[in-house]
Amino acid sequence: MLSKIHNLEDYAVAYRKSVNEPEKFWATVADSFVWRKKWDQVLDHDFEDYKVEWFKGGKLNITENCLDRHLLSRADKTAIHWVPNNPKEADRVLTYRQLHEEVCKTANMLKAQGVKKGDRVCLYMPMVPELAISVLACARIGAIHSVIFAGFSASALASRIEDAEAKVLLTANAAPRGAKIVPLKEIVNDALSQVSCIEKCIVLKRTDDPVEMKANRDVWWHDAMLTVSNECEAETMDSEDPLFILYTSGSTGKPKGVVHTTGGYMVYTAYTFQNVFQYEENDVYWCTADIGWITGHSYIVYGPLLAGATSVMFEGVPTYPDAGRFWRIVDRLKVNIFYTAPTAIRALMAQGLEYVELYKLDSLKVLGTVGEPINREAWEWYHQHIGKGHCPIVDTWWQTETGGIMISPIAGVLPTKPTYATLPLPGIQPVLLDADGNELEGKGVEGNLCVKYPWPSMLRTTWGDHERCKSTYFSTYKGYYFTGDGCRRDEDGYYRILGRVDDVMNVSGHRLGTAEIENAINMHDAVVESAVVGYPHPIKGQGIYSYVICDPEKLEVTTMEEIKQEISEMVIDKIGKIAKPEWIQIVRGLPKTRSGKIMRRILRKIAAGEFDNFGDTSTLLDPSIVESIKEGARREK
Ligand code: WTA
């Protein structure tokens, strides 16, 4: 078993060791896993010309660590307890033995469909057990999984499939979500008409909705599984072989495929899962994220299974059939550790306490949040009404790129403070830098959050474009990994994340780049130019506000309302509903400097309902533009 931190002193000792002797520290953690061959070198890295390798020369298969090694002592323990969207439908429970068998069968099915080690397999699926099973099935045979959140549109799906040159796509006919049914296969058919690399599309029959299947390409999942054996030897993988690609948004319009590898990712997700949540054998753990995001990868699939935990997997949404859904499930399954996003807490908070008071919630021991800064009101509400004042809240800061939790309280060990992610976990060396790249020493300082030493689950590259990885993360500040977040270190040395300092927004915990939304808006033929910014939103954290210049001739034949509607539809079509602008303002110009740069600062202020204190505007080419934008702006707070 992993060595666990039980008190403040353990934390101090572990942290010190992780900084003074990082290789020794991580080698000890890594020793508790099954390796087919031990590593030759713990760490090899270069932050200047980015390269990082952990447990070099080590050979393993992560699924042996998630599944096979538990068969001796936990074969009949529940690995995944799945709760469907519709409360009238039956749950599905998979023990470790059953999960192992399903993974082996699915791995054989993938092989039979032509998937080989190193091939990319895209997964565009509802939150059903088959999604977790196929993630592991890919890992079993050394195929690289690329899960694409099932809320993305056909063109977003197509561009991700194409970027990864995926050979096989796994999907379902439809995905029930709340009161709606998302026609996944229809979206897939549209996406696949735009790409040429997919040879096989395997379709799970999740509902009775009929779908169009294309001969020679599309196969029903249950047919593909008919003749496969339930034994599948795990492929031997190098510690640094890619495990998965996960696309995320950045400052440019093109989504980037963050690449994680095998050994380091395994060691770090398991270590953080067990320590942050203080997981104990027989705890029931529930993370409400979707496997389409990094939280689902690390803390629904890999982390909990590596620990041999019982995990709840939920297909539905927090407010269906009513706002008590989470709490009903917590009581029914006696959930001990509950991990969700601030946006969900705020949405449920807005529905009133009557949905909470119907439930006991007395099984809960630890609460967690992730994905965006949590405001004080939401933190207090979560603490008081869900945790009944006695469950520690772990406000976990991390990113797709970091693979695992970086700065967070260790439940019950580090004293918490509302809105603070508190202190770095062992192995993590955060620094705050000023605009000139100087490290800010001491307490009570604010700067750009960077990390100055490698940790095992950091991204290795961006798929197909290592230069992009170097320039995005390792060039802003030489010798540091730059997170893109602003951060404050207070008088206690505690870290508080202030939000992004780049052109990335965080809408309901979903990461979206302003440029990708602008690109989508600009595809509308009446649009001349656009600028998108985030503004504070009471439930979503940030809402999307877009300023759009339209061709005056087009405006003569179409009304503003019609154009706005079409622009919205364009964004939904190009990216997905999660990127729909909350607010669209048609403007006659954008506030540009003499050198042609948009002063986004001004647009952000106006979007937030602040109409003065714009700071230095002396470089503005045409100040009257700002006045006209103010006049047409959203006026409610
Ligand atoms: C933000 C999600 C404040 C942050 C795991 C980061 C947070 C981005 C927190 C990564 C937190 C995540 N407090 N902000 N506890 N957790 N963020 O890649 O801006 O989807 O850079 O990974 O979310 O989002 P991503």
Side-chain angles (χ1 to χ4, degrees):
M1 270 313 274
L2 286 175
S3 61
K4 254 186 52 194
I5 292 167
H6 295 290
N7 51 47
L8 268 179
E9 197 190 329
D10 288 353
Y11 168 73
V13 169
Y15 192 79
R16 212 175 309 124
K17 182 163 181 205
S18 78
V19 172
N20 295 338
E21 298 176 291
E23 299 195 23
K24 235 182 180 171
F25 176 83
W26 287 115
T28 310
V29 178
D31 259 334
S32 61
F33 295 88
V34 176
W35 296 81
R36 291 193 173 178
K37 175 184 166 287
K38 275 274 160 79
W39 52 90
D40 305 313
Q41 188 183 351
V42 176
L43 170 65
D44 187 7
H45 81 289
D46 179 358
F47 269 14
E48 299 278 330
D49 184 20
Y50 181 56
K51 177 187 95 166
V52 71
E53 290 172 281
W54 281 91
F55 310 109
K56 210 171 163 171
K59 304 279 180 200
L60 73 159
N61 187 291
I62 195 168
T63 69
E64 283 190 334
N65 285 282
C66 289
L67 303 169
D68 304 56
R69 75 172 163 147
H70 299 312
L71 295 183
L72 277 179
S73 56
R74 302 188 180 98
D76 297 316
K77 178 176 172 176
T78 300
I80 295 178
H81 187 126
W82 177 74
V83 179
N85 176 65
N86 180 353
K88 295 203 181 87
E89 209 182 306
D91 290 6
R92 273 170 68 191
V93 173
L94 287 158
T95 63
Y96 273 90
R97 192 200 314 278
Q98 290 165 330
L99 182 62
H100 177 263
E101 188 174 320
E102 290 302 318
V103 168
C104 288
K105 279 164 70 176
T106 307
N108 286 330
M109 181 271 273
L110 291 175
K111 279 198 209 166
Q113 298 298 326
V115 178
K116 297 196 180 56
K117 181 174 178 177
D119 285 345
R120 275 78 59 209
V121 175
C122 268
L123 290 77
Y124 183 71
M125 293 183 63
M127 275 287 285
V128 289
E130 283 77 6
L131 171 54
I133 291 166
S134 9
V135 160
L136 295 162
C138 288
R140 187 89 179 163
I141 60 172
I144 302 169
H145 55 79
S146 167
V147 184
I148 292 149
F149 174 60
F152 278 117
S153 70
S155 64
L157 172 61
S159 63
R160 286 158 176 79
I161 290 174
E162 198 153 47
D163 188 79
E165 292 175 272
K167 193 165 166 183
V168 167
L169 174 66
L170 306 180
T171 190
N173 63 334
R177 254 186 96 67
K180 295 194 207 100
I181 293 199
V182 185
L184 282 194
K185 182 61 167 57
E186 222 173 88
I187 302 170
V188 162
N189 288 349
D190 184 356
L192 293 189
S193 71
Q194 302 170 38
V195 301
S196 54
C197 51
I198 293 289
E199 292 167 14
K200 288 279 176 225
C201 173
I202 298 150
V203 187
L204 183 78
K205 194 169 179 303
R206 172 67 190 99
T207 66
D208 291 329
D209 298 83
V211 287
E212 199 188 308
M213 300 285 277
K214 188 173 164 186
N216 300 325
R217 183 195 70 191
D218 299 348
V219 187
W220 283 108
W221 199 293
H222 51 266
D223 288 337
M225 293 285 275
L226 276 180
T227 53
V228 292
S229 133
N230 55 10
E231 275 171 42
C232 177
E233 176 71 12
E235 187 75 38
T236 302
M237 305 301 287
D238 191 273
S239 189
E240 281 300 335
D241 277 337
L243 177 63
F244 65 87
I245 307 172
L246 185 57
Y247 284 87
T248 189
S249 298
S251 301
T252 70
K254 197 170 172 262
K256 54 187 169 212
V258 167
V259 176
H260 284 288
T261 59
T262 308
Y265 178 82
M266 171 182 79
V267 168
Y268 195 76
T269 51
Y271 180 78
T272 50
F273 172 74
Q274 302 208 21
N275 276 299
V276 169
F277 301 106
Q278 289 288 295
Y279 166 76
E280 285 171 42
E281 187 76 49
N282 300 327
D283 277 349
V284 176
Y285 163 86
W286 181 15
C287 167
T288 70
D290 191 291
I291 293 176
W293 310 111
I294 191 68
T295 306
H297 281 62
S298 302
Y299 300 108
I300 294 180
V301 181
Y302 290 110
L305 294 176
L306 286 164
T310 295
S311 223
V312 177
M313 181 176 173
F314 178 47
E315 183 185 35
V317 297
T319 48
Y320 177 80
D322 63 57
R325 187 76 196 272
F326 275 0
W327 320 131
R328 200 148 57 240
I329 296 172
V330 166
D331 273 7
R332 180 162 68 86
L333 303 183
K334 306 223 173 327
V335 172
N336 305 114
I337 305 172
F338 180 74
Y339 191 29
T340 194
T343 189
I345 299 170
R346 288 190 298 261
L348 295 177
M349 199 169 128
Q351 302 280 324
L353 276 179
E354 58 267 33
Y355 291 102
V356 179
E357 283 163 352
L358 288 171
Y359 306 98
K360 294 219 275 291
L361 304 179
D362 56 353
S363 55
L364 289 172
K365 295 197 298 192
V366 172
L367 302 176
T369 76
V370 58
E372 47 176 325
I374 181 163
N375 51 311
R376 196 178 180 111
E377 297 71 34
W379 195 99
E380 298 287 3
W381 187 86
Y382 197 32
H383 188 245
Q384 189 184 338
H385 298 292
I386 307 305
K388 311 294 178 200
H390 67 82
C391 298
I393 295 180
V394 292
D395 176 356
T396 63
W397 173 81
W398 57 296
Q399 309 178 295
T400 304
E401 294 85 343
T402 70
I405 300 170
M406 301 284 281
I407 304 183
S408 167
I410 291 176
V413 170
L414 289 182
T416 57
K417 200 193 270 197
T419 76
Y420 280 78
T422 73
L423 294 177
L425 296 180
I428 306 309
Q429 301 186 36
V431 286
L432 302 183
L433 300 186
D434 68 14
D436 303 321
N438 303 308
E439 277 190 31
L440 298 166
E441 304 287 341
K443 299 181 171 170
V445 290
E446 218 173 282
N448 288 340
L449 179 61
C450 293
V451 187
K452 72 170 175 192
Y453 196 79
W455 64 99
S457 66
M458 67 188 301
L459 88 161
R460 299 305 196 260
T461 189
T462 43
W463 184 258
D465 191 353
H466 193 58
E467 282 310 310
R468 186 169 180 199
C469 172
K470 285 199 240 179
S471 68
T472 311
Y473 306 106
F474 297 93
S475 72
T476 314
Y477 300 110
K478 274 264 166 275
Y480 297 91
Y481 165 78
F482 176 44
T483 66
D485 280 315
C487 181
R488 174 181 160 74
R489 185 166 55 226
D490 76 353
E491 280 62 31
D492 297 325
Y494 269 28
Y495 290 84
R496 179 181 197 209
I497 310 301
L498 302 171
R500 302 289 303 198
V501 294
D502 53 10
D503 292 326
V504 171
M505 295 175 295
N506 198 325
V507 181
S508 299
H510 303 318
R511 222 171 116 166
L512 293 163
T514 54
E516 62 186 313
I517 298 173
E518 286 161 10
N519 287 351
I521 293 177
N522 296 348
M523 282 183 191
H524 189 287
D525 63 3
V527 173
V528 177
E529 198 181 354
S530 64
V532 166
V533 297
Y535 71 96
H537 185 284
I539 306 272
K540 298 179 169 188
Q542 275 187 307
I544 300 170
Y545 195 119
S546 47
Y547 299 89
V548 182
I549 305 176
C550 286
D551 179 346
E553 278 177 24
K554 296 268 169 49
L555 274 179
E556 273 167 24
V557 289
T558 324
T559 68
M560 282 228 221
E561 285 319 307
E562 277 166 349
I563 289 199
K564 285 187 192 175
Q565 183 62 31
E566 287 169 18
I567 289 173
S568 254
E569 278 159 20
M570 186 64 101
V571 176
I572 293 171
D573 185 48
K574 295 295 162 205
I575 308 173
K577 281 212 181 77
I578 52 172
K580 180 176 179 267
E582 206 75 26
W583 210 269
I584 297 172
Q585 184 182 347
I586 311 273
V587 295
R588 72 173 166 86
L590 293 167
K592 290 194 179 170
T593 62
R594 281 175 233 281
S595 57
K597 239 185 123 194
I598 298 171
M599 273 191 161
R600 288 179 180 270
R601 166 166 62 82
I602 295 181
L603 296 177
R604 276 192 212 106
K605 282 231 159 179
I606 294 177
E610 294 167 36
F611 298 107
D612 39 30
N613 297 325
F614 290 149
D616 180 11
T617 52
S618 59
T619 56
L620 270 182
L621 183 65
D622 179 2
S624 77
I625 296 263
V626 176
E627 293 311 310
S628 74
I629 295 179
K630 271 160 65 173
E631 273 164 34
R634 178 182 78 107
R635 284 285 161 176
E636 78 232 33
K637 277 267 179 180

